[in-house]
Amino acid sequence: MRLSNLADYAVVAMCAAARHCGGGRTSAAELAAETGLPVPTVQKLVSKLSSAGLLRSTRGAGGGLQLARPAAAITLADIVEAVEGPIALTACIEGADCTVGHDCSVRPHWPLVNEALRGALAAIPLTQLAPSREIA
């Protein structure tokens, strides 16, 4: 299994946003500069992550982006699902056509596998991925 580039970039952007916790708001342009990601990509990610309730955007003077909830309450599973949708290793779980179809003996077991994968990703909080900056 491999994450899409967009999901990978979402994790990178959320780690950068988490480093701003307690220090005010940031912007898509600042996140792009910090991460080396293109501004249009970060803007797309900000939209998806905001829609998923992971980022909050405030307009006007003093506005900007900030985490919508504490970094410890945001998991790798939350970020991946915000970009990719529900975690599923096979398309047949989502109702897509399958060449094996009704004769598949493995299909009933995929939900267990998917839940195990989601559980592993949900066990990794953003705080573990983006440790806060140490004060010198």
Side-chain angles (χ1 to χ4, degrees):
M1 181 187 139
R2 182 177 292 221
L3 290 178
S4 70
N5 285 342
L6 200 59
D8 181 20
Y9 299 159
V11 174
V12 171
M14 285 295 288
C15 287
R19 287 190 289 272
H20 288 271
C21 281
R25 294 179 167 91
T26 188
S27 69
E30 288 174 318
L31 290 177
E34 288 176 32
T35 61
L37 297 171
V39 173
T41 300
V42 174
Q43 290 170 332
K44 181 177 182 177
L45 290 170
V46 164
S47 176
K48 286 182 174 286
L49 295 166
S50 296
S51 293
L54 301 180
L55 285 178
R56 181 176 36 238
S57 177
T58 307
R59 294 184 179 267
L65 299 168
Q66 64 185 156
L67 297 180
R69 51 187 201 246
I74 297 172
T75 68
L76 185 52
D78 296 328
I79 300 167
V80 170
E81 287 180 330
V83 175
E84 298 291 328
I87 295 169
L89 290 178
T90 62
C92 68
I93 298 304
E94 298 170 341
D97 290 335
C98 176
T99 57
V100 178
H102 65 280
D103 292 331
C104 181
S105 62
V106 179
R107 184 175 184 179
H109 303 287
W110 280 117
L112 177 66
V113 174
N114 291 336
E115 190 52 40
L117 177 58
R118 189 188 190 291
L121 297 178
I124 303 170
L126 188 55
T127 51
Q128 187 175 341
L129 298 171
S132 59
R133 293 180 179 158
E134 293 182 13
I135 299 174

